[in-house]
Amino acid sequence: MGGKKVCIVGSGNWGSAIAKIAGSNTARLSSFESQVNMWVLEEEVGGRRLTDIINTEHENVKYLPGHKLPPNVVAEPDLLKACAGADVLLFVVPHQFIGKVCDQLKGHVKKEAIGMSLIKGVDEGPDGLRLISDIIHEKLGIEMNVLMGANIANEVAEEKFCETTIGCKNMKHGQMLKDLMQTPNFRVSVVQEADTVEICGALKNVVAVGAGFCDGLGYGDNTKAAVIRLGLMEMIGFAKLFCKGPVTSSTFLESCGVADLITTCYGGRNRKVAEAFAKTGEAH
């Protein structure tokens, strides 16, 4: 005992892939408590509760089928029970639910807990665009970090090599978060420009729509490459206006920047839907 207790808030495709990594690492590192709680929104699959299936068969058969989760990952349908006593909270829910989840957690999280958002996107409201990590920080009062990169969940679960970026303003926590997340096939870099890391995860989707239009209109690889490069320059320009603190070009050369941009512009859903729209005039 005495190690840090980890909770994963969310259990979809990406949350389950992260649970596989975090569970493996906490099981072997004395700096963490072995058991990792994973909050699962309860539902029925084939007449059985999803939490029961995960806890007996160690597999999220609905959202990450075919991949075994470590036995020390425990599915918990009660959000407050899942997060009780947690020192590290990994947020991996769809961005539209984060406000509601945080409202439920308010007053039930340790003040000294550390959070990390793995949620790509920004919140759009009456006051303009807001980072997801800022929303969590404002509602829960905990220090926030982010993890973003060229990380397609199924490929991560299959242990195909990839990189990721942790944005961590307080570098004394950076090594701990790196220890929690890094594996031989999931290489972690830690940078201090957390806001830049996070905004990359949202803006690359906009560029991917442009790349998809290129594909749908048959413009070829030269044009698509130009759209990607110009899009990257626009991302840097936007970040310099939007982000608090310094924004350096080197952060865009991390996995959260150029690598995630490339992956999304060649394989992501935003690219696919834009291609379909350009071809058919319908976004299905």
Side-chain angles (χ1 to χ4, degrees), residues 74-97:
V74 176
E76 171 54 63
D78 185 307
L79 178 62
L80 299 188
K81 278 187 189 172
C83 297
D87 300 295
V88 181
L89 293 154
L90 306 179
F91 293 91
V92 210
V93 294
H95 75 271
Q96 62 266 34
F97 301 131

Side-chain angles (χ1 to χ4, degrees), residues 70-196:
N72 57 313
V73 173
V74 176
E76 171 54 63
D78 185 307
L79 178 62
L80 299 188
K81 278 187 189 172
C83 297
D87 300 295
V88 181
L89 293 154
L90 306 179
F91 293 91
V92 210
V93 294
H95 75 271
Q96 62 266 34
F97 301 131
I98 193 63
K100 189 177 170 188
V101 166
C102 288
D103 287 340
Q104 285 179 260
L105 280 175
K106 203 177 288 186
H108 298 277
V109 174
K110 285 183 180 180
K111 284 187 175 65
E112 64 275 16
I114 296 163
M116 186 157 71
S117 172
L118 289 79
I119 303 166
K120 289 181 180 175
V122 286
D123 184 68
E124 191 271 323
D127 301 320
L129 299 179
R130 294 169 73 218
L131 296 174
I132 303 298
S133 63
D134 284 346
I135 293 170
I136 300 169
H137 171 71
E138 284 167 23
K139 288 184 179 286
L140 301 182
I142 61 174
E143 186 179 304
M144 284 300 299
N145 310 275
V146 296
L147 182 149
M148 304 279 152
N151 306 143
I152 294 168
N154 284 36
E155 292 184 16
V156 172
E158 288 161 14
E159 298 179 24
K160 292 177 176 172
F161 178 80
C162 69
E163 299 177 306
T164 200
T165 311
I166 288 177
C168 180
K169 290 171 190 170
N170 184 345
M171 290 304 271
K172 73 176 185 180
H173 295 136
Q175 188 60 49
M176 179 271 291
L177 292 169
K178 183 173 181 172
D179 290 343
L180 176 61
M181 300 313 309
Q182 181 154 275
T183 75
N185 294 309
F186 192 68
R187 195 174 93 174
V188 175
S189 295
V190 183
V191 301
Q192 278 191 287
E193 290 177 18
D195 290 357
T196 306

